[in-house]
Amino acid sequence: MWYVRYVVLLLFVSGFQYSGAQSLNNFVYSQSIKTVMCHKEGWPMSYPVIQLGTDEKIELSFDDLNNDSRSYYYSLVHCNSHWEPSDISEQEYVNGINQVPVLDFDFSFNTTVEYVHYKMQFPNEDIGINYSGNYIILVYEDFNREAPVLARRFMVVERKVQVQSQIKFAMNSSLRKQQQDINFTVTHRNFEISNPLHEVTVSIYQNQRLDNAIHDIKPQFIKPESLEYNYNRETMFEGGNEFRWLDLRTYEFRTEDVSDIHFHDPYYHLDLKPDESRNEKSYFFQNDFNGRYVIENREGRDPFTESDYVLVHFFLPRNEPFAGGDIYIMGGLTNWRIDDSSVMRYNPQFKRYEKTLLLKQGFYNYLYAFKTPQTDQATVSILEGSYSEAENDYLFLVYYRDISDNYDRLIGVAQSNSVKP
């Protein structure tokens, strides 16, 4: 439809964030929108993936610190494997009207910072999904699609193939202690693939990072019912380290991570203890959320409406700033973005990097990452170290498009862990 093309164009020219060839990305456009969570319904720690033709749903929630209810709506945009808008109309991939009101919301209770908590689950009786593939959900106010307040990625899979993976140490001796090498096989016993080199591509994501994802992976060996991917360097990831923990469940007393608590209306301020570099320390395993977070508080009953917002001050001592790049706080607490919203600033007076984030009470994971202006990919090895033994999640997305298709189908999704079988 003509207005879909118009909306997509407006999204690009009005600042819709993209990387590469106009790929649509996770982004929050309004400063009042906080704590955006997108996952499979009933599984907050999951990737936002559901299976086509089932009762599975995606759940999206967020807070609006304006504290008055707004007329929010959401729409879905189908994308290709590169997260660019597909060349199909919304009438093809959506059942119903692709402009659904957000009617499920609650006001915060007994918090110093007032907000409205919004939640939606889909597909539902108002909107259904016909095609597999990559999707963007846009949330906007008062029918104004060209000015979204947030955008989030999710995926719909057909499950036509299976993925078996092996995460191992790198073969190269110089990289063996720092890198994780990924080999995998795509099995398609009941799904015909005529030309795998042209019809099938695979993307791999480490944890929920977008900056270091590997795309457009082609099979090395083609067998009658399987495709094998046994690369050496092409599917290699920095092992990194276990994520740092942050407990913000209370501001009534100082937790292990907090050095000071003070209140300046309307916010509680939590000064964290200075973090140390871990790049020269021995690897030590500890359970973590692989960069995710959980909303929770010690004093209230409902974590989503009774958890407060606090200003959290991060400190990273350093005698002098790093040359040639910047330090970023990486994880779900910064929406996995490597930009101005997550960059730390060096304070020469106190000889440290500093960053203040407004966060909802809960448990958080994070890492410190370094990035130069010349690349889109960050590295954690400089401040965190990189260890091939580190525990990481890997997400495999298998796309298929034959000569008769006009969109990229998502025919397989698999998740593997570098430590847990």
Side-chain angles (χ1 to χ4, degrees), residues 30-34 63-70 72 107 113-116 118 141 149:
S30 171
Q31 293 185 352
S32 69
I33 302 299
K34 302 293 182 183
D63 294 336
D64 188 345
L65 272 58
N66 280 318
N67 194 39
D68 56 343
S69 60
R70 303 296 179 95
Y72 284 124
F107 292 88
V113 178
E114 297 180 333
Y115 57 89
V116 184
Y118 293 85
E141 190 176 357
V149 298

Side-chain angles (χ1 to χ4, degrees), residues 173-188:
S173 59
S174 64
L175 302 174
R176 186 173 178 81
K177 293 183 178 181
Q178 296 85 30
Q179 304 288 317
Q180 293 178 344
D181 195 11
I182 315 296
N183 290 343
F184 62 99
T185 300
V186 174
T187 305
H188 58 99

Side-chain angles (χ1 to χ4, degrees), residues 186-317:
V186 174
T187 305
H188 58 99
R189 291 189 178 91
N190 299 312
F191 186 76
E192 182 178 355
I193 300 177
S194 302
N195 192 344
L197 290 175
H198 290 87
E199 296 173 347
V200 179
T201 62
V202 179
S203 294
I204 307 177
Y205 293 84
Q206 184 189 54
N207 302 319
Q208 295 190 332
R209 290 177 62 175
L210 302 180
D211 65 298
N212 67 343
I214 302 174
H215 302 288
D216 295 327
I217 308 170
K218 299 292 185 179
Q220 275 188 309
F221 305 102
I222 299 172
K223 297 182 178 180
E225 294 184 337
S226 66
L227 310 175
E228 294 188 1
Y229 301 75
N230 296 317
Y231 291 97
N232 289 326
R233 292 180 178 269
E234 290 82 355
T235 54
M236 190 180 297
F237 287 83
E238 189 178 60
N241 206 338
E242 306 306 326
F243 282 79
R244 300 174 189 255
W245 280 96
L246 176 57
D247 184 356
L248 300 179
R249 291 178 297 167
T250 183
Y251 47 70
E252 297 295 328
F253 57 88
R254 289 180 294 179
T255 62
E256 181 181 356
D257 316 296
V258 176
S259 64
D260 191 25
I261 302 173
H262 43 102
F263 180 77
H264 299 288
D265 194 22
Y267 297 112
Y268 277 94
H269 292 248
L270 275 62
D271 293 341
L272 301 186
K273 295 178 182 178
D275 279 318
E276 297 180 354
S277 174
R278 299 189 292 173
N279 69 335
E280 295 182 356
K281 296 186 177 182
S282 299
Y283 171 73
F284 177 75
F285 173 80
Q286 63 177 356
N287 286 313
D288 60 15
F289 294 153
N290 283 335
R292 300 171 177 86
Y293 60 83
V294 174
I295 300 304
E296 188 176 314
N297 67 80
R298 291 179 181 269
E299 288 77 29
R301 296 183 178 179
D302 186 343
F304 298 105
T305 58
E306 297 183 44
S307 294
D308 221 327
Y309 276 87
V310 295
L311 282 169
V312 183
H313 305 279
F314 294 79
F315 305 110
L316 183 65

Side-chain angles (χ1 to χ4, degrees), residues 378-398:
T379 175
V380 301
S381 62
I382 291 178
L383 286 165
E384 306 290 359
S386 183
Y387 306 93
S388 54
E389 308 102 306
E391 184 259 329
N392 291 292
D393 288 328
Y394 288 96
L395 181 70
F396 299 81
L397 303 179
V398 184

